[in-house]
Amino acid sequence: MSLAEFEQEIVDDLYETLITDDEDKGITLYGDIGSGKSTIALNLANQLMEGWTIFYIEGIDPNLSPYLTWHIGTKLYSKKKLKLGSDISFGISFLPVPISLEFGTSISVTSTNYILTPSEEAIISNIENQIDGNQRILFVADNFEMWDTPSKQLFQKIMHPQLGLLSEYHLNVLIVAQSKQSIEVPIIWKYVETPDIPDESILHILRENGHAERICIEDIRACAGNDISLALMAANYYSMSGENANNFIEIMDRRCDCLPTEKQEVRQILGPLSIIDSYFSKDEAAFFLDSTPKDKYETEYLAEEYLQLAEDQMFIKGDNKFLFVNDNIKNYFKVKLARKERYYHRRFSEFLQKRHPEDYYSRGKHLALSLQSSDTKTIVEAWQLFLLAYFRRSTEIGSTDDVYKILDKIETLISGLPISAIDTQHQVLDEFIQGYQEFTKYNYRSALLHFQAITPSRIVPPCLAECQRLILLCKIQLAEDLGMIIQSADELYNTIEDICHSEDEQYCRAALVLLDAYIDRSNDHKKVNILKNKIIRIIQDHMGITEFDEFEACYNRKAALYYAAIVACRQTEQSIQFYRKHCNRNGTYMALCNHSGNAIVSGQYPTAKMAVEECVLMMNNSDGWYYPSQYKVENNQILLDYLTEERNADENREKTIFAAHKAVTRFSKIIEHQYEEVSHVVLFNYIGLSMLCQTDTWESELANANRLLTYLDEFYQYYLHDLNYANALLKGDVASAKESLEILKSLDPPLLRHYRIILQKRQLVQEDLLTTQKIINGDPFEYHRIIHTACSHVQDDSCYFWGRGFLLSDLQFLSF
């Protein structure tokens, strides 16, 4: 679009302001919708090409996940308007779209009182990579009212001089908004208002766009006001009919009536699409065209054709994702819905449940907008979907603070319930909130009490599955009663496998925990196969949706459940890369912990060391961030140090026993800590190495373990009875040693099935020692050496780990 005279004057004024000196500057260009603000900003960017890098970012929806505005803000905008050359960035380059991101708090005037999250560090790094040597940067923040809060706060951090995040560059920001928006930073700030467009400017723009015939500006004004895009529509109307329109409605009626008869149905889908707050796609259009099509592909192609037709008619704009050109057009189609608006909100919520089950916020919002009088069931479903959105966004921002004010919406909904239901629903809300707050700090016992206080009949299916999932996770981490763990697992399994359960997002979350329970804690092959096959199918059905990509990353992270360590290492490497790209602290931490364990078992000690050291660094630089199961990192660090020294000792008795003594001392300090999570892993490593170096307490510790750990699963039972065998053999008690060996042979822990050949070879050596125990003569080092020598010929890197006298546990770290 060519610039009108008044627009060129504003462009020239802004240009002079920006190039006058090298001071950092802020400018706000504000005015009514359609007053030409974006056109001015785009032409300013064109004029600043040489020596400048321009990042042009448009606000879409303030409810986007944190920082997503920085990535997708220009996607809808770029194809039609951004043709500005190589120095213009069409958004920051993320691979792939970030989802689990942290939330940066507001900053004060000192650089010591703010947090720069990993997500923000990643964005700033991408900015630096795209500057291409230019010293001057302009951030154009279009539609600033629609930016999400974290993205606005990142702007504040980037532009704050005392923080110096891009101190080597001259930084400028142009905010484009309807009102005097700004960010609180101590730099020069200028406000420029777009004036009411002069008549001659509108006429100039119309002529530049091919309307050379006589135009009555009064008639154009009556229809379009100060909106240039509406003025063009009014002029088009005149060109088509030879008459001026009386108002905007008449223009729209005429444009719709001029559609071909066979294409009139496009009007029917634009009405329902008008209830969607931000952007919509071909999927939504196809659903409103026919929610239960006989031929899905025919409906999709027809929807695509209708969207193209609507774009040609200037009703919508975009590419793959679409927006109405302006609110006037959107409201025109919404008015056509009349009383059916609430009905379409209900239908759209059902569409989201099927196609985007992870979008709990939008599902709850559209349900709330569909409410009829005294609709108790819908109110309960809506507020509980909002609650799940609160949990998910709390995970994203790393804090249970209600930064999106979701709890306020929940309170409003609950207050609309019948008086008899308000107290019971408040009780559900309070227990959920308190339990979740304890859970995020890994206070599993306290969290469990709150979750178990929730009455299942008072929560909708996705919330029921979430509650049962959290209960199971708490019980797994506490590891106190195998029977109770399996009971909770079965309850969750029955919920998600119910024929009426259509919550794909919740199914994946639950399945990932259930796979732990049914592989790690029990041995239920049938349920494992059902869960694995279905979760893989769901992930494939939602390919490209980041939440489901993250489920795949979590599946890879837990690869030791399904594969031998050498293969699992490759899977956990992929998982680490995914979480790093998404700046997901906890995901990266847990994947590194898993990776270190797999590398230890595979004998890849340098790889394991790098993973452990990165975990330790993350914990030491936590900035108040909570990380789960930190003792597992300590366990792997101590274990790795011992194994490295043992390998370097090359069966030297003194060096090996000295290394074992050091490890025992360090393990004892972990055991003394009162963790909410019970770590039998650390205990068995402590007892086994205590036996090797013959400490004074190992016998009492082993006796205590036999007394207290009665209900352990097979994995732990294997370690316990292996230690019992070694204890009896070293004492010369052949009968007790034989009894323990028989128990070992009867056990088949799923986690150890990949190492069955090594363990069977080891058991043959143990059986031979029952008749030749005198060669050991009560010497634990000799027992350790004999088994290692006998098993070392097995052609498997993991034989060095499993082929030793005292097994060291390192696989029971999967159930974060």
Side-chain angles (χ1 to χ4, degrees), residues 557-570:
R557 178 172 71 75
K558 299 182 177 186
L561 286 168
Y562 322 108
Y563 308 104
I566 190 66
V567 178
C569 264
R570 294 198 291 269

Side-chain angles (χ1 to χ4, degrees), residues 37-321:
K37 301 185 300 297
S38 296
T39 302
I40 292 169
L42 288 164
N43 279 275
L44 174 65
N46 260 329
Q47 203 157 316
L48 287 171
M49 291 294 289
E50 186 175 349
W52 287 75
T53 298
I54 297 98
F55 294 95
Y56 203 118
I57 310 120
E58 182 186 26
I60 300 284
D61 183 346
N63 296 313
L64 288 176
S65 294
Y67 309 111
L68 271 185
T69 298
W70 284 88
H71 177 63
I72 67 173
T74 62
K75 291 290 177 124
L76 307 179
Y77 211 57
S78 59
K79 182 180 179 182
K80 294 298 179 186
K81 294 186 178 180
L82 287 184
K83 298 178 180 178
L84 306 178
S86 61
D87 283 337
I88 302 299
S89 168
F90 301 155
I92 308 301
S93 301
F94 284 98
L95 293 172
V97 178
I99 182 64
S100 295
L101 303 174
E102 304 79 20
F103 183 75
T105 57
S106 296
I107 64 174
S108 69
V109 295
T110 64
S111 61
T112 58
N113 194 23
Y114 84 103
I115 298 172
L116 190 65
T117 69
S119 307
E120 294 170 335
E121 291 175 355
I123 292 171
I124 291 168
S125 175
N126 278 279
I127 290 172
E128 291 175 325
N129 290 337
Q130 295 180 48
I131 289 173
D132 294 330
N134 293 325
Q135 289 301 303
R136 295 187 175 198
I137 300 174
L138 174 64
F139 296 101
V140 180
D142 199 0
N143 204 15
F144 197 61
E145 292 92 346
M146 301 300 286
W147 278 51
D148 67 275
T149 300
S151 290
K152 287 183 176 181
Q153 290 180 329
L154 176 55
F155 236 145
Q156 185 186 10
K157 294 176 183 181
I158 288 174
M159 294 302 299
H160 205 295
Q162 290 183 325
L163 303 185
L165 299 180
L166 295 169
S167 57
E168 64 271 39
Y169 303 102
H170 303 303
L171 304 180
N172 301 273
V173 58
L174 173 63
I175 289 178
V176 180
Q178 295 177 47
S179 59
K180 285 187 175 183
Q181 301 276 323
S182 64
I183 51 178
E184 296 180 13
V185 290
I187 62 174
I188 299 170
W189 205 280
K190 179 177 182 177
Y191 295 93
V192 178
E193 183 178 10
T194 54
D196 290 342
I197 307 175
D199 290 349
E200 59 270 19
S201 293
I202 290 183
L203 290 170
H204 172 75
I205 292 170
L206 295 180
R207 292 190 181 101
E208 287 291 326
N209 281 270
H211 297 286
E213 67 276 5
R214 179 182 175 279
I215 295 173
C216 178
I217 190 63
E218 289 79 12
D219 291 334
I220 294 292
R221 285 286 196 188
C223 295
N226 209 38
D227 191 318
I228 295 174
S229 61
L230 295 185
L232 283 167
M233 291 182 68
N236 287 336
Y237 179 91
Y238 179 83
S239 298
M240 293 167 61
S241 64
E243 299 177 359
N244 287 313
N246 293 315
N247 52 50
F248 172 72
I249 302 299
E250 188 175 319
I251 294 174
M252 288 298 296
D253 287 342
R254 178 60 182 266
R255 293 182 76 86
C256 289
D257 291 342
C258 287
L259 290 170
T261 303
E262 68 275 12
K263 306 298 184 186
Q264 284 293 318
E265 198 166 2
V266 69
R267 304 167 69 174
Q268 297 178 26
I269 65 169
L270 289 175
L273 289 171
S274 69
I275 69 167
I276 302 174
D277 285 345
S278 54
Y279 51 80
F280 50 87
S281 68
K282 180 177 65 177
D283 288 344
E284 285 85 15
F287 172 76
F288 285 124
L289 190 64
D290 186 353
S291 58
T292 56
K294 293 180 181 178
D295 188 330
K296 173 186 172 185
Y297 298 108
E298 181 185 11
T299 305
E300 288 180 349
Y301 282 114
L302 190 57
E304 185 174 351
E305 183 179 342
Y306 283 170
L307 289 173
Q308 183 60 55
L309 185 60
E311 191 174 9
D312 294 340
Q313 293 294 317
M314 296 172 60
F315 296 152
I316 63 175
K317 63 180 180 180
D319 179 26
N320 295 324
K321 293 285 189 178

Side-chain angles (χ1 to χ4, degrees), residues 530-561:
I530 291 172
L531 290 164
K532 283 178 63 178
N533 292 336
K534 187 168 181 179
I535 191 175
I536 290 171
R537 187 176 73 250
I538 290 174
I539 290 171
Q540 291 172 340
D541 289 342
H542 294 85
M543 194 173 297
I545 297 177
T546 315
E547 285 87 345
F548 293 89
D549 291 342
E550 188 168 359
F551 295 144
E552 182 179 26
C554 186
Y555 186 87
N556 288 336
R557 178 172 71 75
K558 299 182 177 186
L561 286 168

Side-chain angles (χ1 to χ4, degrees), residues 431 445 447-456 467 471 475 484 488:
E431 296 293 355
R445 200 174 304 281
L448 187 58
L449 293 174
H450 289 293
F451 294 139
Q452 289 179 323
I454 298 172
T455 304
C467 184
I471 287 172
K475 289 184 176 180
M484 293 299 294
S488 294

Side-chain angles (χ1 to χ4, degrees), residues 511-785:
L512 288 167
V513 181
L514 286 170
L515 285 169
D516 285 351
Y518 290 133
I519 294 177
D520 191 355
R521 298 308 200 269
S522 72
N523 200 352
D524 195 325
H525 293 295
K526 181 179 179 181
K527 288 179 180 175
V528 166
N529 288 333
I530 291 172
L531 290 164
K532 283 178 63 178
N533 292 336
K534 187 168 181 179
I535 191 175
I536 290 171
R537 187 176 73 250
I538 290 174
I539 290 171
Q540 291 172 340
D541 289 342
H542 294 85
M543 194 173 297
I545 297 177
T546 315
E547 285 87 345
F548 293 89
D549 291 342
E550 188 168 359
F551 295 144
E552 182 179 26
C554 186
Y555 186 87
N556 288 336
R557 178 172 71 75
K558 299 182 177 186
L561 286 168
Y562 322 108
Y563 308 104
I566 190 66
V567 178
C569 264
R570 294 198 291 269
Q571 299 293 93
T572 44
E573 280 179 348
Q574 294 178 26
S575 181
I576 291 168
Q577 291 171 7
F578 176 90
Y579 288 119
R580 279 180 175 155
K581 287 176 182 177
H582 290 70
C583 303
N584 184 327
R585 287 196 195 185
N586 277 42
T588 302
Y589 163 85
M590 291 186 286
L592 285 166
C593 189
N594 291 168
H595 191 53
S596 69
N598 292 327
I600 286 172
V601 173
S602 302
Q604 302 175 41
Y605 296 166
T607 299
K609 184 178 181 181
M610 286 191 292
V612 168
E613 288 177 347
E614 187 170 346
C615 284
V616 172
L617 186 63
M618 293 176 75
M619 291 189 297
N620 291 341
N621 299 325
S622 64
D623 296 324
W625 193 276
Y626 289 93
Y627 290 106
S629 307
Q630 295 186 24
Y631 72 88
K632 295 178 180 180
V633 176
E634 295 179 74
N635 172 78
N636 282 7
Q637 191 172 35
I638 298 169
L639 182 57
L640 178 61
D641 289 345
Y642 166 73
L643 291 171
T644 302
E645 291 185 49
E646 182 194 69
R647 176 182 285 181
N648 293 337
D650 196 22
E651 297 192 359
N652 179 285
R653 180 188 186 90
E654 288 74 19
K655 290 181 179 179
T656 301
I657 292 179
F658 179 71
H661 265 296
K662 287 198 299 183
V664 166
T665 302
R666 293 169 69 187
F667 275 129
S668 67
K669 294 177 181 178
I670 303 179
I671 291 173
E672 292 169 2
H673 296 173
Q674 296 299 311
Y675 289 105
E676 271 285 292
E677 303 165 81
V678 178
S679 173
H680 305 315
V681 172
V682 176
L683 177 62
F684 288 133
N685 285 341
Y686 170 70
I687 294 175
L689 291 176
S690 295
M691 291 175 69
L692 177 58
C693 59
Q694 294 288 281
T695 65
D696 295 334
T697 60
W698 72 265
E699 290 185 86
S700 61
E701 296 283 2
L702 181 58
N704 201 35
N706 276 288
R707 186 177 75 256
L708 296 176
L709 306 180
T710 309
Y711 301 105
L712 293 176
D713 56 74
E714 285 195 350
F715 180 81
Y716 287 130
Q717 288 284 344
Y718 196 95
Y719 283 91
L720 180 60
H721 289 292
D722 189 77
L723 291 174
N724 286 336
Y725 166 87
N727 173 40
L729 186 71
L730 293 172
K731 290 182 176 179
D733 186 348
V734 176
S736 295
K738 185 176 182 179
E739 182 180 338
S740 294
L741 184 58
E742 290 304 315
I743 295 174
L744 282 177
K745 290 179 178 179
S746 69
L747 296 174
D748 186 23
L751 278 179
L752 299 180
R753 69 188 186 279
H754 299 296
Y755 315 102
R756 197 170 288 152
I757 295 175
I758 300 169
L759 295 175
Q760 286 174 346
K761 173 64 176 176
R762 189 174 181 279
Q763 288 167 9
L764 289 174
V765 178
Q766 289 174 318
E767 190 165 19
D768 289 341
L769 288 174
L770 292 176
T771 57
T772 59
Q773 84 275 12
K774 291 183 180 179
I775 65 172
I776 293 176
N777 196 27
D779 183 357
F781 177 79
E782 188 62 20
Y783 167 69
H784 182 71
R785 187 194 63 77

